[in-house]
Amino acid sequence: MELNNLMAYELLEKIKNREITIQVVIRNAFDRIEKSDKLFHSFVNLSKEKALKKAKDFDSNIQKSRKIGRLLGLPFANKDLICVKDFPTTCCSNILQGYQPPYNASVIEKIVEQEGAIHIGNTNMDEFAMGSSTETSCYGPTYNPWDLDRVPGGSSGGAAASIISNQAKIALGSDTGGSIRCPASFCGVVGLKPTYGRVSRYGLIAFANSLDQIGPITKCVYDSALMLEIISGKDPQDSTSVDIKVDKYTEEIKKSVEKKTVGIPKEFFSDGIEPQVKNSVKNAIKKLESLGVSSIEVTIPHLEYTIATYYILCMSEASSNLARYDGQRYGKMSQNLEGDVFDVFNRTRGEKFGAEVRRRIFLGTYALSAGYYDQYYIKALKVRTLIKNDFQEAYKNCDVIIGPTMPCTAFKIGELINDPIQMYTIDILTCPVNLAGLPALSIPCGFDNDELPIGFQIIGNYFDESEILNVGYQLEQELNIFRKIPSLTKGGM
Amino acid sequence: MEVHIQLTKLRTKLFCSCNSDYRDAEPNTHLCPICIGLPGTLPVINNKAIEFATKIALGLNCQINEVMYFFRKNYFYPDLPKGFQISQYNKAGGKAFADGGKVTIRLNSNKKDILLDRIHLEEDPARLVHKGSIRTSPYTLVDYNRSGIALIEIVTEPVLSSPAEAREFLNQLKLIVQYTGISDLSLEGSLRVDANISIKGHPRAEVKNINSFKEVESALIYEIMRQKNEIKKGKEIIQETRHWDGRVTIPLRTKEFEKDYRYFPEQDLVPIIITKKNIDEIRESLPEMPYERVSRLQHQYMLSEFDAENLILDKDIADFYENGVNSDPTFGPNEFKLYCNWLMNDIVGWLNENNSKIIDTKLKPHYIVDLILNIKKGTITTKMAKTMINDMMKGKTISKILEDKDKKRISNEFILEKYCKEAIEENPNIIKDFEKNPKAFEALIGRVMAKTKGQADPKITRKILRNLLH
């Protein structure tokens, strides 16, 4: 049976109908990982023994149990910053080596403990999710399955690579400034960043807590809708999660999109966007129009301030969120214990954090310091409000906002790593969404001349995930490229 | 002064559901991923803590902010598991829990309002445990049981002008806390004071780690003396943080307490909204405050200001007083005053001698009513009553004490006659005297009393002796 090109929901049907055992599914996943991960390096830690045992238990109980988990038996890849009880969760950082959380994140409780997905391992990412290329991981980079010389995007690069290469069927990522959508775009998969507050952050190790949000990375929009249905909702353990009705997204997506209006921000097609990306996105818009969607031009006037605003805020928050890593209670402490406790704290942090993380802590600390706070942090908060207002103004005339996810396709490994400003700038179309707290979806809409995927971004109003998934699903069906996979991942590998 | 008060009457910590009653617990047993700040955890506010903070803010006449935020106070210290403390801040777009307020103190019959700047609600750091002194201990141990306990920080304006004023301020503050019922300040470590001290015209020093009421005055006296001596020697006072070790203040390295805390909003918590309605409901539920009670006691029971102020110094005593005087409808101003005297002199005296609290004794408010009525009836004298206080404290009323004496009384004439005859036989001298000296008869009665250990009924004894001697 050809398992590898199945969408998660298709595989789920076969499991439910007992056309295939869960043990075969999980063994197949590990076989693929063992063969292909030498090339892609999607995973940083595997949970093979537990996963196989669980598969066996599920197989023997599937006859008896009346209620079947909505993700039963699906191989699930977890990003290395979402806590899994008694499993190494390290944010791909040396400072968290050896750390195993004593609790499950709320999303893990839902998809693994309640709905039966099988956790097969944790995926690679930029250290503490700080990056757009998965190159800052302490375990080394992930390689894009479409072209091994290129990055998979980041920070959830391992997750996106594991999905496009059929190592896992469903994955979770986190998105602070584009960390789900960027790798989804570069790897040609579906990435969803929900509204801030839609999904509980309890157990998500914070990078920038006012921007972070967990979301699914999947092969197709239906799988994404299925995942979102499960992980959404108010969680008493996360005060910022919101008690707003969770739609039946898997049904909502199938509605007609006729007579919907999409807004196209003119700033999303500026000179900084690669022409091939522009063309591919414009073609996709034509497809939407052929479905009866009308498009209008809108404007996000403050987009030019987005990068500065985003980086000031995320670095400020990070400087505080990462203060707890001093080696005193968990993770690794410096071997050199000379001096007093503060010397050891400083040395530990200096040795164990990578260069990008240190850069962001320094800059964030600076931005929050007395005398600079008003000039940087407070000012950035004000611009954040202006950007929110820009989107709200735009939504007066349209249902969703669309454009490219990234200004470019996957770049070469090492190409931008020594040019942080350039690296930061590629987040220009994703991070305004986090600043505004809006939901956004990235789906593949085509390929460039190098056969690298191009991402199409659909941004919705607050808690309007139904709308973006609906538009995304109908466009995906119309484009019909979602079953295309990299040649490297074909066959029995 | 900055006074930190733990909300010890809360059952759980400020941001998690760990049991906050940690004092007799093994170290590091009252903790969870949240209060030790494990990666990925998030705080959830304990609403009861908001209610308690509102109570004390009302008790101190503060202006409560209806919308407020938590802020992060960032600094590295081994007792701080997240690298920041979740607190509040009244600058940088933040707001205190409550602003203003005052505590009225009386010193040498002068009244003074100690104005408050603000009140914050925040989490307590973990407890650092040293062997002996902080300076010489070979190690530092961390006990996270205290980490995340709800704290109220009360900051005064710079208006205290002497150690005695500081002491009196704390006494009054303690009283108000006791009345609001938010904390038991007799618990070790439930109150901590930081004091900022300066000699006029010179920089200030901050003294931390003053952990009891008693120590505040001595720490301040020491620090003032130290600063005066420095100035006398022509040295500059350094603005710094000093540690009170129970005897002297010692400087902490400035590196440990760099003052840039980089406060910014804690966005893992949503803004707290306290509506006027909430505040009014809490105000309704609040007991009368001590300063309000003083004037009511004066009017309701015609007490002097002195008596009323003394009564309210301990809420339990004041409650006892009111229960007592109200239990007898015949009581009037005279009895109100008598009751107060008995309570404040004899009973409180006994409590002090026995190092006890009124609620821990078996004394009931109506016992003192009974005592006053017995004296009024003439059953006992004031002098006798005083000898009965000890029995009263152990659960006996005066009436019961008298009744018990009654039960044991020997009034059987046959038995008494035997004792009387013995007394006459054994005391021929007294009998000889009997004709000349009328006092001899009384002496003989005394002998009978001695033989019966005071249980002989005096009236019957007298009658029998008369008959025998005639």
Side-chain angles (χ1 to χ4, degrees):
Chain A
M1 192 183 311
E2 182 52 80
L3 287 180
N4 297 329
N5 268 348
L6 294 179
M7 301 297 119
Y9 74 93
E10 291 166 342
L11 179 61
L12 205 53
E13 277 307 300
K14 291 192 184 299
I15 291 171
K16 282 181 188 164
N17 298 334
R18 277 182 264 148
E19 290 170 47
I20 186 168
T21 68
I22 296 168
Q23 287 174 88
V24 168
V25 170
I26 298 303
R27 252 187 241 120
N28 180 69
F30 282 106
D31 284 351
R32 285 189 71 81
I33 291 167
E34 267 150 43
K35 284 174 191 151
S36 65
D37 220 36
K38 288 190 262 307
L39 296 177
F40 307 142
H41 193 221
S42 314
F43 286 90
V44 296
N45 271 303
L46 292 172
S47 185
K48 189 171 177 180
E49 211 174 297
K50 263 190 210 165
L52 288 172
K53 187 181 174 301
K54 211 160 191 185
K56 199 177 169 191
D57 291 348
F58 282 170
D59 277 336
S60 53
N61 289 330
I62 194 165
Q63 276 108 331
K64 293 177 235 161
S65 45
R66 236 178 275 158
K67 192 178 170 285
I68 284 177
R70 286 185 281 174
L71 301 172
L72 187 75
L74 292 181
F76 154 63
N78 180 49
K79 188 174 179 180
D80 198 33
L81 47 41
I82 299 173
C83 292
V84 175
K85 189 169 190 271
D86 301 331
F87 186 79
T89 304
T90 70
C91 296
C92 292
S93 177
N94 281 325
I95 209 156
L96 274 174
Q97 288 310 301
Y99 176 62
Q100 301 198 0
Y103 73 102
N104 274 332
S106 295
V107 289
I108 298 294
E109 282 295 322
K110 284 182 167 177
I111 69 171
V112 175
E113 302 302 326
Q114 287 168 28
E115 303 298 343
I118 294 184
H119 173 235
I120 57 171
N122 279 8
T123 56
N124 202 7
M125 55 185 269
D126 285 292
E127 185 181 2
F128 281 99
M130 297 178 185
S132 309
S133 65
T134 314
E135 289 170 288
T136 69
S137 163
C138 74
Y139 305 104
T142 292
Y143 303 88
N144 192 322
W146 294 94
D147 178 347
L148 295 179
D149 289 336
R150 292 175 187 272
V151 302
S155 65
S156 314
S162 78
I163 292 298
I164 193 61
S165 63
N166 270 311
Q167 294 170 324
K169 283 293 166 191
I170 51 174
L172 282 180
S174 66
D175 191 315
T176 307
S179 279
I180 287 174
R181 289 160 290 154
C182 164
S185 174
F186 283 8
C187 290
V189 294
V190 174
L192 171 63
K193 177 231 166 290
T195 309
Y196 187 79
R198 175 83 291 183
V199 177
S200 169
R201 290 183 296 114
Y202 188 75
L204 167 68
I205 300 181
F207 155 21
N209 51 313
S210 84
L211 300 157
D212 298 338
Q213 188 66 192
I214 294 174
I217 295 179
T218 55
K219 256 307 193 20
C220 67
V221 176
Y222 187 95
D223 289 350
S224 189
L226 178 64
M227 292 274 282
L228 187 67
E229 260 173 38
I230 290 164
I231 62 176
S232 294
K234 172 76 183 169
D235 177 4
Q237 292 185 287
D238 176 0
S239 310
T240 65
S241 68
V242 180
D243 195 6
I244 287 181
K245 187 178 155 279
V246 176
D247 290 335
K248 196 101 177 74
Y249 301 116
T250 47
E251 286 168 12
E252 294 290 320
I253 58 174
K254 298 196 170 157
K255 288 182 179 167
S256 162
V257 290
E258 217 184 317
K259 293 191 179 135
K260 282 196 195 302
T261 306
V262 298
I264 305 166
K266 55 182 181 194
E267 297 83 1
F268 278 40
F269 290 87
S270 68
D271 292 345
I273 316 298
E274 282 180 9
Q276 292 192 62
V277 171
K278 275 191 212 172
N279 286 337
S280 179
V281 170
K282 279 180 182 161
N283 283 334
I285 293 171
K286 283 197 189 109
K287 292 274 186 190
L288 275 177
E289 284 168 347
S290 75
L291 295 172
V293 169
S294 56
S295 59
I296 57 158
E297 190 183 87
V298 295
T299 177
I300 307 294
H302 295 95
L303 192 75
E304 61 174 310
Y305 304 111
T306 294
I307 295 292
T309 305
Y310 169 75
Y311 277 94
I312 287 170
L313 293 178
C314 79
M315 289 171 178
S316 298
E317 292 177 23
S319 73
S320 172
N321 288 328
L322 272 63
R324 72 192 64 197
Y325 306 106
D326 54 25
Q328 183 179 309
R329 291 161 301 276
Y330 44 80
K332 282 275 176 292
M333 191 186 266
S334 172
Q335 297 283 307
N336 178 356
L337 299 181
E338 254 174 68
D340 65 16
V341 65
F342 301 100
D343 296 323
V344 177
F345 283 178
N346 290 340
R347 198 176 301 121
T348 296
R349 293 166 62 79
E351 285 173 13
K352 306 294 177 187
F353 282 135
E356 182 60 27
V357 172
R358 274 181 286 140
R359 176 173 15 248
R360 294 192 190 197
I361 291 173
F362 284 138
L363 290 171
T365 304
Y366 180 81
L368 289 179
S369 296
Y372 298 100
Y373 180 81
D374 289 343
Q375 197 177 333
Y376 293 109
Y377 184 79
I378 293 287
K379 199 164 192 180
L381 282 186
K382 287 177 182 163
V383 180
R384 184 176 187 173
T385 303
L386 294 177
I387 291 166
K388 272 184 200 169
N389 295 345
D390 284 356
F391 276 103
Q392 287 314 296
E393 197 57 39
Y395 283 119
K396 285 181 180 163
N397 303 312
C398 61
D399 299 306
V400 297
I401 288 168
I402 56 171
T405 306
M406 299 301 291
C408 56
T409 52
F411 47 89
K412 292 243 165 87
I413 289 174
E415 193 179 331
L416 297 183
I417 195 70
N418 295 319
D419 187 353
I421 299 288
Q422 188 66 27
M423 185 80 100
Y424 296 168
T425 308
I426 67 165
D427 296 339
I428 179 76
L429 304 178
T430 49
C431 64
V433 173
N434 301 76
L435 288 172
L438 296 166
L441 181 72
S442 178
I443 67 166
C445 66
F447 293 85
D448 70 4
N449 295 337
D450 296 323
E451 278 293 293
L452 294 171
I454 293 165
F456 184 92
Q457 185 171 215
I458 308 164
I459 305 166
N461 211 336
Y462 296 112
F463 299 97
D464 213 356
E465 280 82 358
S466 284
E467 199 76 31
I468 56 172
L469 286 165
N470 181 205
V471 173
Y473 179 78
Q474 296 302 344
L475 178 60
E476 173 189 79
Q477 299 301 310
E478 193 61 22
L479 291 165
N480 200 24
I481 55 168
F482 66 101
R483 288 186 194 272
K484 189 171 172 179
I485 53 172
S487 52
L488 269 175
T489 69
K490 282 179 186 154
M493 200 186 76
Chain B
M1 280 170 90
E2 293 166 28
V3 184
H4 294 92
I5 291 171
Q6 284 186 340
L7 302 179
T8 67
K9 297 282 174 80
L10 285 177
R11 277 199 295 268
T12 57
K13 292 184 179 181
L14 185 53
F15 296 121
C16 64
S17 53
C18 284
N19 184 346
S20 62
D21 182 14
Y22 66 86
R23 282 187 172 73
D24 293 323
E26 281 281 295
N28 295 313
T29 54
H30 288 208
L31 47 77
C32 72
I34 297 168
C35 59
I36 59 171
L38 288 188
T41 56
L42 298 170
V44 175
I45 184 72
N46 177 345
N47 285 317
K48 203 79 187 161
I50 303 283
E51 185 192 317
F52 278 25
T54 305
K55 281 185 176 181
I56 186 68
L58 290 172
L60 296 171
N61 290 307
C62 305
Q63 189 61 43
I64 296 168
N65 289 309
E66 289 179 38
V67 181
M68 68 191 87
Y69 312 89
F70 281 101
F71 264 57
R72 288 184 182 179
K73 181 180 183 180
N74 294 285
Y75 64 99
F76 291 97
Y77 210 71
D79 64 7
L80 204 60
K82 295 188 293 292
F84 58 81
Q85 178 191 31
I86 303 178
S87 180
Q88 297 187 303
Y89 196 48
N90 62 345
K91 294 178 203 132
K95 272 184 183 167
F97 189 92
D99 293 305
K102 65 170 187 189
V103 173
T104 306
I105 63 167
R106 180 199 283 274
L107 208 62
N108 307 327
S109 76
N110 293 321
K111 277 190 178 176
K112 178 171 175 180
D113 283 344
I114 305 303
L115 301 180
L116 305 180
D117 178 60
R118 62 180 186 271
I119 291 183
H120 286 159
L121 180 59
E122 62 186 23
E123 56 179 346
D124 211 349
R127 201 167 63 90
L128 297 181
V129 182
H130 296 99
K131 185 179 172 187
S133 158
I134 187 173
R135 304 210 93 187
T136 54
S137 176
Y139 55 73
T140 300
L141 302 175
V142 190
D143 178 5
Y144 290 95
N145 284 351
R146 199 182 75 180
S147 180
I149 294 285
L151 276 186
I152 286 287
E153 183 190 45
I154 298 167
V155 183
T156 71
E157 298 279 2
V159 291
L160 293 159
S161 48
S162 71
E165 272 189 25
R167 185 202 57 213
E168 198 44 36
F169 162 70
L170 286 175
N171 284 338
Q172 288 303 317
L173 180 61
K174 183 184 176 184
L175 200 57
I176 293 167
V177 169
Q178 191 197 12
Y179 271 69
T180 55
I182 57 167
S183 184
D184 178 358
L185 295 182
S186 68
L187 296 176
E188 186 263 325
S190 59
L191 173 127
R192 275 162 274 151
V193 179
D194 300 339
N196 289 281
I197 302 140
S198 67
I199 307 293
K200 201 170 184 179
H202 295 274
R204 67 189 165 83
E206 184 177 11
V207 178
K208 284 186 179 279
N209 191 47
I210 311 175
N211 289 341
S212 78
F213 281 81
K214 279 186 216 150
E215 289 189 57
V216 171
E217 210 173 359
S218 38
L220 294 187
I221 289 170
Y222 175 87
E223 181 59 19
I224 290 169
M225 185 192 72
R226 185 190 70 85
Q227 291 190 14
K228 280 185 175 163
N229 280 342
E230 294 285 295
I231 293 166
K232 217 183 273 173
K233 285 185 225 158
K235 288 188 189 159
E236 268 302 303
I237 302 294
I238 309 161
Q239 186 172 333
E240 63 178 350
T241 301
R242 300 178 70 85
H243 179 95
W244 172 247
D245 77 350
R247 214 168 35 83
V248 296
T249 66
I250 47 180
L252 287 174
R253 291 187 332 161
T254 49
K255 189 177 159 193
E256 292 176 20
F257 282 99
E258 279 169 16
K259 282 293 176 178
D260 190 355
Y261 290 121
R262 288 173 284 116
Y263 278 100
F264 80 115
E266 169 55 284
Q267 292 164 102
D268 284 337
L269 289 162
V270 291
I272 306 167
I273 295 162
I274 308 180
T275 62
K276 281 216 164 66
K277 192 167 159 275
N278 294 146
I279 296 174
D280 288 342
E281 278 168 11
I282 293 169
R283 200 193 304 273
E284 289 291 306
S285 76
L286 211 57
E288 186 183 30
M289 286 299 112
Y291 43 83
E292 294 164 340
R293 199 170 199 177
V294 169
S295 57
R296 183 175 60 78
L297 291 181
Q298 278 178 260
H299 290 107
Q300 193 171 340
Y301 306 109
M302 321 290 165
L303 295 174
S304 67
E305 190 177 23
F306 176 84
D307 281 342
E309 281 183 348
N310 267 333
L311 274 173
I312 59 100
L313 283 179
D314 182 338
K315 182 172 184 288
D316 295 332
I317 294 280
D319 290 346
F320 191 96
Y321 175 79
E322 292 207 72
N323 283 333
V325 292
N326 289 325
S327 68
D328 190 316
T330 68
F331 266 36
N334 193 30
E335 288 81 12
F336 294 153
K337 171 69 180 157
L338 281 171
Y339 196 109
C340 178
N341 290 349
W342 279 104
L343 182 60
M344 296 314 293
N345 298 328
D346 300 88
I347 305 298
V348 169
W350 188 94
L351 292 172
N352 289 342
E353 268 170 41
N354 291 277
N355 204 10
S356 177
K357 289 183 191 166
I358 196 149
I359 44 168
D360 299 334
T361 70
K362 289 186 175 158
L363 185 73
K364 297 283 179 301
H366 69 84
Y367 288 12
I368 300 175
V369 173
D370 178 64
L371 177 149
I372 291 168
L373 292 178
N374 269 305
I375 294 172
K376 202 173 169 188
K377 273 191 284 178
T379 334
I380 53 166
T381 62
T382 301
K383 208 173 162 191
M384 279 164 79
K386 284 185 191 287
T387 66
M388 294 172 172
I389 295 293
N390 201 41
D391 284 338
M392 279 172 65
M393 301 310 290
K394 287 169 181 162
K396 279 188 184 172
T397 61
I398 298 280
S399 300
K400 173 89 171 117
I401 298 166
L402 293 175
E403 198 184 307
D404 286 354
K405 274 205 173 141
D406 244 18
K407 267 187 198 159
K408 287 181 191 159
R409 190 159 291 180
I410 303 168
S411 45
N412 183 309
E413 294 197 14
F414 181 73
I415 296 172
L416 281 180
E417 198 176 297
K418 194 180 128 236
Y419 281 120
C420 288
K421 281 179 179 164
E422 277 175 25
I424 292 168
E425 276 169 31
E426 287 164 13
N427 294 289
N429 291 340
I430 297 180
I431 303 301
K432 251 189 236 162
D433 254 14
F434 182 68
E435 298 298 326
K436 297 171 234 165
N437 188 355
K439 273 186 186 167
F441 186 69
E442 298 299 322
L444 208 51
I445 291 174
R447 298 290 158 168
V448 177
M449 282 297 175
K451 279 175 157 300
T452 60
K453 291 178 184 141
Q455 288 168 3
D457 185 316
K459 269 189 190 165
I460 301 174
T461 307
R462 191 176 288 270
K463 197 181 87 187
I464 293 173
L465 277 176
R466 278 232 167 83
N467 289 339
L468 287 174
L469 292 169
H470 269 283

